[in-house]
């Protein structure tokens, strides 16, 4: 037994192996929602989700979207929130600020680079590397920049359940307004 949630370990594995930042977002968002607003790590979870989405946008050439998300993530990725998650918070903050500075200086011309999250906990790093090995994944593998399935994942996923849920919510709101 360890102190790290499976979803978090899986997030770190995806972040450092497949570079599937969309999947990182999905994994940690589900965990964050299950934990609820009283979770002491809620802000850090949101910051890490935003960081993954920023990487997704940057790799796709959407520098403006990446900048916006990094600006939102920085206050949530403070060392006091990320150190308890086994990360080296001060280094993480420097890394994120450096990426943001490069995006602000170079805009759409800022070349994409994979990010390595600085894991401070030897236990956490061991768990992540072990999980990666079990899955046959290479730790630190660079992004496959020609994989459209990975880079355009948001356009290719099945969203029928989301569309249905939104339509049902809109219908409920409409029915409520009509009865008021």
């Amino acid at each position: 037994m360890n102190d790290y949630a499976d979803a978090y370990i899986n997030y770190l594995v995806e972040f450092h192996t497949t570079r599937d930042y969309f999947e990182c977002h999905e994994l940690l968002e589900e965990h964050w929602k299950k934990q609820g607003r009283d979770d002491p790590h809620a802000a850090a979870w949101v910051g890490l989700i935003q960081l993954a989405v920023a990487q997704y946008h940057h790799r796709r050439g959407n520098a403006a979207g990446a900048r916006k998300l990094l600006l939102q993530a920085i206050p949530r990725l403070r060392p006091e929130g990320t150190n308890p998650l086994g990360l080296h918070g001060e280094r993480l903050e420097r890394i994120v600020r450096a990426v943001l500075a490069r995006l602000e200086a170079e805009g759409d011309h800022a070349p994409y680079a994979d990010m390595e999250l600085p894991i401070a906990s030897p236990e956490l790093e061991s768990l992540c590397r072990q999980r990666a090995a079990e899955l046959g994944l290479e730790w630190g593998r660079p992004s496959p920049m020609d994989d459209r399935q990975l880079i355009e994942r948001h356009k290719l996923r099945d969203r029928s359940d989301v569309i249905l849920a939104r339509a049902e919510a809109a219908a409920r709101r409409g029915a409520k307004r009509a009865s008021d």
Side-chain angles (χ1 to χ4, degrees):
M1 183 68 185
N2 64 68
D3 293 332
Y4 301 105
D6 275 347
Y8 179 48
I9 292 170
N10 291 334
Y11 168 95
L12 292 171
V13 169
E14 293 288 337
F15 202 99
H16 292 97
T17 62
T18 66
R19 307 294 182 172
D20 187 344
Y21 302 119
F22 191 89
E23 182 66 15
C24 290
H25 152 268
E26 294 286 304
L27 288 165
L28 213 48
E29 184 176 61
E30 184 177 334
H31 174 72
W32 165 64
K33 286 179 178 179
K34 281 182 186 173
Q35 297 306 302
R37 298 193 187 278
D38 295 334
D39 180 359
H41 304 301
W45 297 141
V46 172
L48 289 168
I49 292 164
Q50 290 171 320
L51 182 58
V53 177
Q55 285 292 97
Y56 182 78
H57 282 302
H58 189 190
R59 186 173 55 199
R60 292 185 60 249
N62 180 0
R67 279 193 312 271
K68 180 181 175 183
L69 282 159
L70 291 176
L71 283 168
Q72 293 171 1
I74 285 172
R76 293 180 172 109
L77 294 175
R78 304 284 305 144
E80 58 271 11
T82 55
N83 286 342
L85 297 176
L87 298 176
H88 190 294
E90 294 81 7
R91 283 183 47 210
L92 176 59
E93 190 172 26
R94 283 194 303 273
I95 290 166
V96 173
R97 287 184 183 281
V99 171
L100 177 61
R102 195 172 72 247
L103 284 167
E104 288 177 335
E106 300 177 38
D108 290 338
H109 302 291
Y112 167 79
D114 290 324
M115 183 184 295
E116 304 296 322
L117 300 180
I119 299 174
S121 164
E123 176 192 16
L124 178 59
E125 184 166 353
S126 176
L127 289 166
C128 290
R129 288 179 180 267
Q130 180 181 352
R131 174 90 36 97
E134 289 167 359
L135 296 170
L137 300 171
E138 179 186 348
W139 190 265
R141 180 185 137 212
S143 279
M145 296 301 288
D146 59 347
D147 185 345
R148 299 315 311 161
Q149 290 284 87
L150 184 66
I151 294 172
E152 301 291 339
R153 183 145 176 225
H154 72 289
K155 293 179 181 178
L156 305 172
R157 73 187 192 274
D158 177 12
R159 297 193 29 89
S160 55
D161 59 333
V162 173
I163 293 166
L164 178 62
R166 286 181 182 165
E168 289 171 351
R172 284 192 302 275
R173 286 191 304 273
K176 184 175 179 351
R177 279 194 298 270
S179 69
D180 288 343

